[in-house]
Amino acid sequence: MSDHPRLDLAVEQARLAREAGNHPFGAVLADPDGTVVLSAQNTVVTESDVTGHAEANLVRLASTTIGRDLSGYVLYTSTEPCAMCAGAIYWAGIGKVVFALGEDDLRAMTGDDPENPTLALPCRQVFAAGQRPTEVLGPYELPEARAVHEGFWRS
């Protein structure tokens, strides 16, 4: 258990995604009071949808169940959001993102695996190109966030 219980919950979603046959990524959304209100996991394989990343799935779920004003919410994710997911987070207006495993560390783990053709574009750069601020915290050293990927990717 880490000092960041919401990150632990995101990693648990990543573990569940892997167990379901998907890529090991998970995310949770906390409301302005810090209560986790939604969770999502990667569904790329089981839903046959290349956009089924955990964060994008969470943004879609939040938009339809909570509404369009997510500015006070915080998204916690097992791994740094990719450029696509960072764009979705930005358009949803989520004001803060907290992640465990960095995209650069993930890329080192996945190597040239065609299942994860990582873009070397940190989420901070995506958010910085926007007109409203998105606070980013991470990476956080969380061994479980790395462990959920071990043995999954062909590197």
Side-chain angles (χ1 to χ4, degrees), residues 68 78 84:
R68 293 183 50 173
S78 61
M84 176 187 72

Side-chain angles (χ1 to χ4, degrees), residues 80-83 86 89 97 99 103 121-129 136:
E80 182 176 359
C82 71
I89 292 163
V97 174
F99 67 90
E103 182 74 17
L121 183 60
C123 69
R124 284 178 172 90
Q125 283 184 256
V126 176
F127 296 134
V136 179

Side-chain angles (χ1 to χ4, degrees), residues 104-118:
D104 54 345
D105 288 328
L106 175 66
R107 188 175 192 163
M109 293 180 77
T110 62
D112 64 354
D113 191 314
E115 287 291 311
N116 192 47
T118 305

Side-chain angles (χ1 to χ4, degrees), residues 61-120:
L61 181 61
S63 296
T64 59
T65 60
I66 297 170
R68 293 183 50 173
D69 182 12
L70 300 172
S71 58
Y73 289 76
V74 180
L75 189 146
Y76 295 84
T77 183
S78 61
T79 307
E80 182 176 359
C82 71
M84 176 187 72
C85 290
I89 292 163
Y90 174 80
W91 286 112
I94 295 170
K96 185 175 182 180
V97 174
V98 182
F99 67 90
L101 186 67
E103 182 74 17
D104 54 345
D105 288 328
L106 175 66
R107 188 175 192 163
M109 293 180 77
T110 62
D112 64 354
D113 191 314
E115 287 291 311
N116 192 47
T118 305
L119 289 169

Side-chain angles (χ1 to χ4, degrees), residues 23 42-54 56-57 60 82 84-85 115:
H23 302 155
N42 182 289
T43 57
V44 166
V45 176
T46 56
E47 298 290 326
S48 296
D49 179 358
V50 296
T51 68
H53 294 194
N57 288 340
R60 280 191 290 274
C82 71
M84 176 187 72
C85 290
E115 287 291 311

